[in-house]
Amino acid sequence: MGGGDKYKNHKSVSAGENRRYLFSIQSEEVHPLCPHCKKAMWQYGYRWRVAFLSNGQKVHILIRRLWCPRCLRIHHELPDFLLPYKRFVARCIEKAINGQTDGLCCENSTIIRWHRWLQSLTKMVRISSLDLHVKGWLPQLMLLFYDWEK
């Protein structure tokens, strides 16, 4: 969450020819605020999240789980480069939506789904696709839309 994210305990584990990259990411905030009720949340544990880079490389990221004592919800602390419910990193999705598909390791059907998803976002907030690309609002809009889905 936020710009204070840090990579901690980066490890590269080899198993034959397969190499797994493991990351543990945690913000500098000790008790982040709940996005719903603004109460301080407590750490509730961790879970693994798989993400794919634009070259198709799979990375395993340890995500901190947070519990809100007021609304009793569990939230996951995502770093800036991950989007909720998306398997590819945000930069990869942004490149595909901007038409920079050279070197991207994902199916055409996935790119089409991302375009449809973006169209639904722009209709919901009444913003043009051109503003998203020119002004660089795409990552912020994606995170904002995540809060509306809940």
Side-chain angles (χ1 to χ4, degrees):
M1 290 181 150
D5 297 329
K6 291 184 174 182
Y7 294 103
K8 293 183 179 180
N9 303 327
H10 169 249
K11 297 177 185 174
S12 174
V13 180
S14 294
E17 291 188 18
N18 295 331
R19 172 165 265 162
R20 294 177 61 190
Y21 292 93
L22 309 173
F23 294 91
S24 173
I25 298 174
Q26 182 176 332
S27 73
E28 295 175 343
E29 296 175 271
V30 177
H31 299 290
L33 298 179
C34 176
H36 296 281
C37 68
K38 307 302 181 217
K39 174 92 171 147
M41 296 187 293
W42 294 89
Q43 184 169 324
Y44 191 68
Y46 293 92
R47 69 178 292 270
W48 285 102
R49 167 95 183 253
V50 174
F52 293 97
L53 305 177
S54 58
N55 63 2
Q57 182 180 16
K58 183 194 270 189
V59 292
H60 299 264
I61 303 164
L62 193 60
I63 303 290
R64 185 166 71 151
R65 298 176 77 205
L66 301 165
W67 176 73
C68 176
R70 180 180 292 162
C71 64
L72 305 177
R73 295 180 187 207
I74 295 175
H75 302 280
H76 295 93
E77 183 178 48
L78 294 180
D80 293 341
F81 62 87
L82 287 180
L83 297 172
Y85 308 109
K86 302 293 181 218
R87 297 187 61 86
F88 281 85
V89 295
R91 184 69 185 129
C92 179
I93 295 171
E94 191 173 10
K95 280 183 179 179
I97 288 173
N98 287 333
Q100 302 167 355
T101 56
D102 294 339
L104 288 182
C105 188
C106 60
E107 300 283 331
N108 286 337
S109 60
T110 302
I111 295 172
I112 291 168
R113 275 195 312 275
W114 290 340
H115 277 283
R116 288 182 185 153
W117 175 69
L118 179 65
Q119 287 173 354
S120 69
L121 284 178
T122 56
K123 286 178 186 174
M124 181 174 277
V125 296
R126 297 181 184 168
I127 189 170
S128 73
S129 297
L130 183 62
D131 283 341
L132 292 175
H133 302 307
V134 172
K135 296 179 181 175
W137 291 349
L138 185 59
Q140 291 84 4
L141 182 63
M142 290 176 176
L143 292 173
L144 181 65
F145 181 70
Y146 168 67
D147 287 338
W148 289 345
E149 285 181 327
K150 292 260 174 179

